[in-house]
Amino acid sequence: MTAIASVYQHDVATYWNTERNPVNLRLGDVSGTYHHHYGIGEVDWSVLETPEDARDEAVIAELHRLENAQARFLLEHLGDIRPDHRLMDAGSGRGGSSIMANAAFGCRVDGVSISQAQVDFANEQAAKRGVSDKVRFHFKNMLDTGFEAGAFQAIWNNESTMYTVLDDLFAAHSRLLARGGRYVTITGCYNDVYGLPSRAVSTINAHYVCDIHPRSAYFRAMAANRLVPVTVVDLTADTIPYWELREKSSVATGIESAFLEAYRDGSFQYLLIAADRI
């Protein structure tokens, strides 16, 4: 078993090992909870009216509030989680969602990433919060973790499915989930109705070294791997305000216009999918 099993995975790991993007780090500095995903919810646009010397901090804090709201929304769909349960954060980034899950449920959480830099950072955050006995991050491949079958009550991917082949991913998750366990993902996917990926979606793929899947692929791969959807929420309209604010912020990366174009023209969707392991 190896954490990095292909040339592509090596490229992805290299990208995240060297990534020091202010849009991730500065937002996390607000509360010490560091994420690698986007945000949802209505924006408090009054932050743009803040006096100039404090405006940037106000915008950063608002973006962080929206990304925390996204993580909470995902965690709310994990089902009835007890302190004796065990959860897995697949593609755990710098660990924010895992730490929030432990705070919400009091349970054990294992995060996995093929980026050693992310794993080290996340374990440092868990230690700082005094939860490293319950929240642990591992340099492992989510497609082949080595964890025991049926060990987890819930598993989630927060914007990380686009780095995998979905059939391989859901087969791995199905093996690890207890019967009746819950799988949740929040992900961007391209809209089959519009055909192949649009130019904007292709731009996003190139930017993040990823391969965004069509919407239909999620449900097809879930059905093939004993995962039955129980909730599907289209969050596209809820994430557009986040991108509109981010485009006006000091941490804009230049990819914002591609996301906004793809969301607005309907070729790209932002979905939450929750499924039970049968």
Side-chain angles (χ1 to χ4, degrees), residues 74-139:
L74 186 154
L75 297 178
E76 288 167 0
H77 287 81
L78 293 179
D80 183 18
I81 303 299
R82 303 191 305 266
D84 61 314
H85 283 147
R86 186 179 177 191
L87 313 182
M88 189 176 92
D89 182 354
S92 48
R94 286 190 168 95
S97 297
S98 295
I99 289 170
M100 288 176 68
N102 169 261
F105 307 119
C107 60
R108 179 177 171 185
V109 185
D110 290 282
V112 298
S113 173
I114 59 172
S115 165
Q116 186 68 64
Q118 288 185 343
V119 169
D120 293 343
F121 185 98
N123 278 322
E124 288 174 7
Q125 296 305 307
K128 285 180 181 178
R129 291 171 177 265
V131 296
S132 52
D133 59 327
K134 289 284 192 75
V135 184
R136 296 172 184 168
F137 298 92
H138 311 266
F139 180 55

Side-chain angles (χ1 to χ4, degrees), residues 8-139:
Y8 170 70
Q9 290 175 5
H10 179 270
D11 290 344
V12 172
T14 299
Y15 176 89
W16 290 112
N17 281 334
T18 57
E19 182 270 338
R20 301 289 185 273
N21 201 317
V23 76
N24 295 316
L25 294 171
R26 285 199 60 201
L27 271 62
D29 288 343
V30 173
S31 70
T33 301
Y34 293 85
H35 296 293
H36 277 282
H37 62 251
Y38 311 129
I40 58 172
E42 290 299 319
V43 167
D44 177 3
W45 291 106
S46 69
V47 295
L48 296 179
E49 306 304 320
T50 305
E52 188 173 351
D53 60 345
R55 186 178 307 147
D56 187 53
E57 286 187 13
V59 171
I60 296 297
E62 179 65 359
L63 289 169
H64 183 57
R65 183 184 70 81
L66 297 171
E67 66 175 2
N68 276 335
Q70 189 263 29
R72 281 193 299 271
F73 189 76
L74 186 154
L75 297 178
E76 288 167 0
H77 287 81
L78 293 179
D80 183 18
I81 303 299
R82 303 191 305 266
D84 61 314
H85 283 147
R86 186 179 177 191
L87 313 182
M88 189 176 92
D89 182 354
S92 48
R94 286 190 168 95
S97 297
S98 295
I99 289 170
M100 288 176 68
N102 169 261
F105 307 119
C107 60
R108 179 177 171 185
V109 185
D110 290 282
V112 298
S113 173
I114 59 172
S115 165
Q116 186 68 64
Q118 288 185 343
V119 169
D120 293 343
F121 185 98
N123 278 322
E124 288 174 7
Q125 296 305 307
K128 285 180 181 178
R129 291 171 177 265
V131 296
S132 52
D133 59 327
K134 289 284 192 75
V135 184
R136 296 172 184 168
F137 298 92
H138 311 266
F139 180 55

Side-chain angles (χ1 to χ4, degrees), residues 58-244:
V59 171
I60 296 297
E62 179 65 359
L63 289 169
H64 183 57
R65 183 184 70 81
L66 297 171
E67 66 175 2
N68 276 335
Q70 189 263 29
R72 281 193 299 271
F73 189 76
L74 186 154
L75 297 178
E76 288 167 0
H77 287 81
L78 293 179
D80 183 18
I81 303 299
R82 303 191 305 266
D84 61 314
H85 283 147
R86 186 179 177 191
L87 313 182
M88 189 176 92
D89 182 354
S92 48
R94 286 190 168 95
S97 297
S98 295
I99 289 170
M100 288 176 68
N102 169 261
F105 307 119
C107 60
R108 179 177 171 185
V109 185
D110 290 282
V112 298
S113 173
I114 59 172
S115 165
Q116 186 68 64
Q118 288 185 343
V119 169
D120 293 343
F121 185 98
N123 278 322
E124 288 174 7
Q125 296 305 307
K128 285 180 181 178
R129 291 171 177 265
V131 296
S132 52
D133 59 327
K134 289 284 192 75
V135 184
R136 296 172 184 168
F137 298 92
H138 311 266
F139 180 55
K140 290 180 178 290
N141 191 315
M142 69 175 86
L143 302 179
D144 186 15
T145 61
F147 292 135
E148 58 271 26
F152 296 92
Q153 180 62 26
I155 297 173
W156 72 88
N157 286 96
N158 198 350
E159 298 180 10
S160 54
T161 55
M162 61 286 298
Y163 292 102
T164 68
V165 174
L166 291 181
D167 274 308
D168 294 344
L169 179 68
F170 294 157
H173 288 348
S174 185
R175 187 187 75 84
L176 294 176
L177 280 168
R179 185 176 176 86
R182 176 67 55 83
Y183 171 70
V184 180
T185 184
I186 292 183
T187 186
C189 54
Y190 74 81
N191 188 348
D192 302 77
V193 174
Y194 287 74
L196 293 173
S198 66
R199 180 182 61 181
V201 170
S202 297
T203 299
I204 296 166
N205 276 334
H207 184 86
Y208 289 109
V209 198
C210 66
D211 185 15
I212 292 166
H213 302 291
R215 181 180 61 198
S216 61
Y218 285 88
F219 301 101
R220 183 169 56 248
M222 285 181 180
N225 289 286
R226 304 180 66 88
L227 296 170
V228 178
V230 292
T231 305
V232 180
V233 184
D234 186 347
L235 295 169
T236 306
D238 297 284
T239 197
I240 286 175
Y242 162 88
W243 287 100
E244 290 174 334

